[in-house]
Amino acid sequence: AMPPVDDRVLAIGKAFTSGKECSPAVFTVGSLMSYIAEKHQKTRPDEITLFFMPTASGPCRFGQYNVYMRELVKSLGIKDVAILSPSAADSYAGLGSGFMLAAWRCLILSDLMRDIRAILNVVAVDRQQAMDAFETEWKRLLGGLEKGPKATWNALEIISGNLSRIPIKGNPREVPKVLLSGEIYVRSDELSRRGIEDYYADEGIMVKIADSSEWVYYTDWHKMYRTSGNKVFPRDFLGSRYVLGQTVNWLFGSNGEGRQYLKYRIKLAYEQHVEAKARRILSRSGLVVTKPHHIDEIVRAGSTFINPSLMGEAILTSGSARVAFEHGQDERYCGVIFIGPFNCMPTGIAESVTKPYARKSGLPLLIFETDGGPLPPNFRSQMEVHVLRSKIFAETQQKRASQAC
């Protein structure tokens, strides 16, 4: 795996781009060029380096990243380096079942461990000690993942027990949360976030970064949605009745839609099974304080703003905000942040459709456009206001809950 992006990689990326590209393009180009210049060493003459750069369609320049990288490698005369670009259109098929199963475990566990780190950042008695202990357990998990599924689950049992012994203050489940959603790369990238989660933690608020696994769930969902005829939820096509109908269609039909549907329905069920198992084990630590928001629920919420046939992150960003606000009260969500690169179209779409809803409902919403550089002073001021509004919102919701009891 490539190391996290830093300012040096950002500078390298800028040297190989025009300045008009969105920041994830600059980061990934910088990572590739940095690796080629500093770490690309053949171990045998016929070795080829593959740079994993997925692609997708929709209103986003992401689909052109791999095209630009191929042209860049070709124009610079770099030999024995190729770009591997599976597509979201078929849920990244073609990589082999073994790879996909291992990758899914990694994705789910990294999401859950990131949440645990975020809550420890707020409730740990000694934050530095807690972060050191967390890093030890993170390395243990990486060791298990390298050895296979059995070692992974065994390591997770040990990790859960060790994490439960970290001294904490108060009840983690009562900590108010802000959802950080938006473009998937920058929300997951530490350089892009520039430590905003630590600022909120200092104020007693956990920043819940939207799961990376959300996008994979969505590609499965969208594939099944297309087999249903791209209609706006004519029926619950994830339910048992529809599954039975598609099974009959597969057995006796001739168009292949039933088989396609069942393939992705089984894949989705397996993915949910792995997540449930991981959550069950890590919940024993007492530090899993968020619930899974099912992809059907998120897309249904987002479809009040955007037609589901328009594939892309916009419907997920707007939908996850609405789900957190309307169905996440028991998880104590008190605000939302949308993060995206400058001039990111999907994030801009999500912002334009969600802002009126946020104003009407009183949801504290903050928009964060980033190019990987330091936080500008005006954004720091906006963040202070957002923290204050989020605290007021959390207190109001708590009072309402107390009165209801």
Side-chain angles (χ1 to χ4, degrees):
M2 301 294 290
V5 175
D6 55 22
D7 288 305
R8 183 186 59 83
V9 172
L10 176 58
I12 293 172
K14 287 181 177 179
F16 287 95
T17 50
S18 68
K20 299 177 182 178
E21 299 83 1
C22 51
S23 57
V26 179
F27 295 153
T28 49
V29 168
S31 295
L32 175 60
M33 293 296 106
S34 173
Y35 178 82
I36 291 172
E38 300 169 9
K39 299 179 181 179
H40 179 44
Q41 295 180 346
K42 286 188 174 185
T43 57
R44 60 178 190 270
D46 62 343
E47 183 176 278
I48 296 175
T49 297
L50 287 178
F51 187 79
F52 187 74
M53 185 71 254
T55 187
S57 57
C60 179
R61 290 169 286 187
F62 177 57
Q64 293 302 308
Y65 290 10
N66 72 93
V67 178
Y68 178 72
M69 286 184 174
R70 286 192 175 93
E71 289 300 315
L72 183 62
V73 168
K74 183 180 177 181
S75 65
L76 294 175
I78 301 171
K79 297 182 179 180
D80 301 325
V81 172
I83 311 299
L84 177 64
S85 299
S87 174
D90 56 6
S91 196
Y92 308 105
L95 294 172
S97 58
F99 174 86
M100 293 301 291
L101 295 177
W104 182 248
R105 284 193 297 274
C106 293
L107 204 56
I108 285 294
L109 292 173
S110 64
D111 283 341
L112 288 168
M113 290 295 281
R114 183 169 62 187
D115 287 353
I116 288 174
R117 189 183 189 282
I119 193 62
L120 282 173
N121 210 16
V122 180
V123 301
V125 172
D126 186 317
R127 183 182 291 182
Q128 189 55 54
Q129 265 190 4
M131 292 301 105
D132 291 343
F134 178 87
E135 287 302 319
T136 299
E137 300 311 317
W138 176 246
K139 290 176 182 177
R140 189 192 307 276
L141 178 59
L142 293 180
L145 288 167
E146 289 175 358
K147 294 176 184 177
K150 185 175 180 181
T152 298
W153 298 122
N154 289 339
L156 207 63
E157 296 280 1
I158 298 170
I159 290 166
S160 184
N162 291 343
L163 289 173
S164 69
R165 288 188 281 274
I166 296 176
I168 60 174
K169 51 194 176 187
N171 183 353
R173 294 189 178 279
E174 294 180 359
V175 172
K177 301 173 188 66
V178 163
L179 174 68
L180 178 66
S181 189
E183 199 276 329
I184 189 170
Y185 186 102
V186 296
R187 78 186 188 213
S188 304
D189 177 58
E190 291 183 13
L191 186 70
S192 298
R193 298 197 307 267
R194 287 289 177 176
I196 62 173
E197 62 270 31
D198 294 329
Y199 177 82
Y200 279 80
D202 290 340
E203 298 292 334
I205 300 173
M206 171 188 166
V207 173
K208 158 63 183 174
I209 300 171
D211 294 336
S212 300
S213 55
E214 176 186 84
W215 177 255
V216 178
Y217 276 135
Y218 174 63
T219 58
D220 293 338
W221 181 93
H222 201 270
K223 194 72 178 178
M224 289 184 285
Y225 177 65
R226 287 171 62 188
T227 64
S228 75
N230 275 25
K231 298 175 183 176
V232 184
F233 307 109
R235 50 195 173 278
D236 182 8
F237 63 87
L238 298 184
S240 56
R241 182 176 295 181
Y242 191 69
V243 172
L244 179 60
Q246 289 299 313
T247 303
V248 173
N249 186 14
W250 172 43
L251 293 173
F252 302 105
S254 58
N255 59 11
E257 286 185 359
R259 182 175 182 176
Q260 276 285 82
Y261 170 85
L262 290 171
K263 172 185 173 182
Y264 286 98
R265 186 65 186 89
I266 292 170
K267 181 173 180 283
L268 179 63
Y270 173 79
E271 290 164 349
Q272 290 172 331
H273 165 74
V274 172
E275 180 180 5
K277 182 176 181 179
R279 281 182 172 276
R280 186 169 61 251
I281 295 173
L282 285 174
S283 290
R284 297 168 196 157
S285 69
L287 298 171
V288 177
V289 295
T290 60
K291 296 178 181 178
H293 294 156
H294 297 296
I295 191 61
D296 189 51
E297 180 183 30
I298 293 173
V299 179
R300 282 178 185 271
S303 69
T304 59
F305 307 120
I306 299 168
N307 192 299
S309 60
L310 178 63
M311 184 178 185
E313 289 178 319
I315 194 170
L316 298 180
T317 302
S318 56
S320 61
R322 185 162 188 167
V323 167
F325 178 68
E326 295 182 356
H327 305 292
Q329 296 306 315
D330 56 337
E331 297 174 74
R332 298 212 62 197
Y333 281 104
C334 60
V336 174
I337 303 172
F338 284 173
I339 184 173
F342 281 111
N343 298 319
C344 173
M345 184 178 289
T347 307
I349 293 172
E351 175 189 352
S352 65
V353 299
T354 309
K355 265 188 173 178
Y357 167 79
R359 266 191 228 105
K360 184 178 179 180
S361 58
L363 172 65
L365 175 65
L366 177 64
I367 309 301
F368 179 19
E369 287 190 301
T370 176
D371 61 358
L375 296 179
N378 66 322
F379 180 75
R380 291 182 180 275
S381 300
Q382 293 172 27
M383 202 160 51
E384 291 174 6
V385 173
H386 187 254
V387 165
L388 180 60
R389 290 188 62 212
S390 298
K391 284 183 173 180
I392 293 172
F393 186 91
E395 290 171 4
T396 302
Q397 291 301 114
Q398 192 169 20
K399 286 178 182 177
R400 288 176 181 171
S402 300
Q403 290 171 357
C405 294

